[in-house]
Amino acid sequence: MSEEELVARIKELANDPKRRTGSAQMFPEVPGLPPPHPVAPTAVEDAEARMGFHLPALLKRLLTQVGNGGFGPGYGLFGVNLAPSWELSMSIPNVYLQSVADDSYGWPKNLVLICEWGCAYYSAVDCSTPKGEVVNVSGEMDLKPTGSSFAQWMQDWVDGVDLWRRDFSDDGPVPTGTAT
């Protein structure tokens, strides 16, 4: 799938309340909020300047063309504005800067949280590479690289892969909606 096709599919899912986020797909009876409007490229540039590094190109494109978070795996991607982009989301630069400011926390440089799964489980992107490897974070700083770039991770979500089961359990890839 080309990046153009991927962005179009993500946009389609983001505009469907029952498929907007991984949690909406699991609990379609719970009404969801529409995703925040896309941000201007300058908002992403400001966030990058605050953090001191670039976000993966696809993440930037999604934030500026689809919405400022609130769609995607888990409870939806986080946005880049200074305030939370919606009630269950956090600002990527704010969370990163808080994490690295506390030296006792030991947060890795260039690793930004991008979504929450609930119960202290998160997915992050390692921004030290242009494609950004997705790293899962659980409990007390238990970091687990997924082996997927951000683009592949988003394509897996679009394709219906149950990222929660694949990335946070030992069961391996399971398409959404299949029996356990």
Side-chain angles (χ1 to χ4, degrees):
M1 177 179 307
S2 72
E3 186 173 294
E4 290 295 323
E5 292 168 321
L6 180 58
V7 170
R9 287 283 294 128
I10 292 169
K11 198 177 282 191
E12 177 186 319
L13 292 171
N15 287 314
D16 181 345
K18 293 185 179 192
R19 300 183 308 157
R20 177 172 298 130
T21 65
S23 63
Q25 292 169 4
M26 290 177 57
F27 307 105
E29 67 281 356
V30 178
L33 299 171
H37 294 289
V39 295
T42 55
V44 175
E45 292 164 6
D46 290 346
E48 291 174 328
R50 289 178 62 213
M51 295 184 295
F53 53 84
H54 293 283
L55 295 170
L58 178 61
L59 178 55
K60 291 192 268 192
R61 187 169 179 192
L62 295 176
L63 294 167
T64 60
Q65 294 180 15
V66 177
N68 187 30
F71 62 90
Y75 289 113
L77 298 176
F78 299 158
V80 294
N81 57 346
L82 296 178
S85 59
W86 66 299
E87 64 187 30
L88 294 177
S89 183
M90 297 185 281
S91 166
I92 291 171
N94 288 356
V95 172
Y96 174 75
L97 293 170
Q98 289 173 332
S99 298
V100 296
D102 183 352
D103 291 334
S104 67
Y105 198 50
W107 190 256
K109 301 286 188 217
N110 299 339
L111 186 68
V112 296
L113 293 176
I114 55 167
C115 82
E116 180 180 4
W117 294 89
C119 300
Y121 288 91
Y122 297 88
S123 291
V125 170
D126 180 354
C127 296
S128 65
T129 65
K131 293 187 179 198
E133 181 179 11
V134 176
V135 176
N136 290 316
V137 183
S138 60
E140 296 294 319
M141 285 289 295
D142 181 21
L143 304 177
K144 178 184 169 191
T146 65
S148 294
S149 68
F150 177 72
Q152 182 60 56
W153 187 73
M154 288 301 293
Q155 182 165 340
D156 289 347
W157 175 71
V158 164
D159 289 343
V161 173
D162 185 338
L163 297 175
W164 168 257
R165 288 209 37 220
R166 180 188 75 188
D167 293 348
F168 290 100
S169 75
D170 294 328
D171 296 336
V174 178
T176 300
T178 61
T180 54

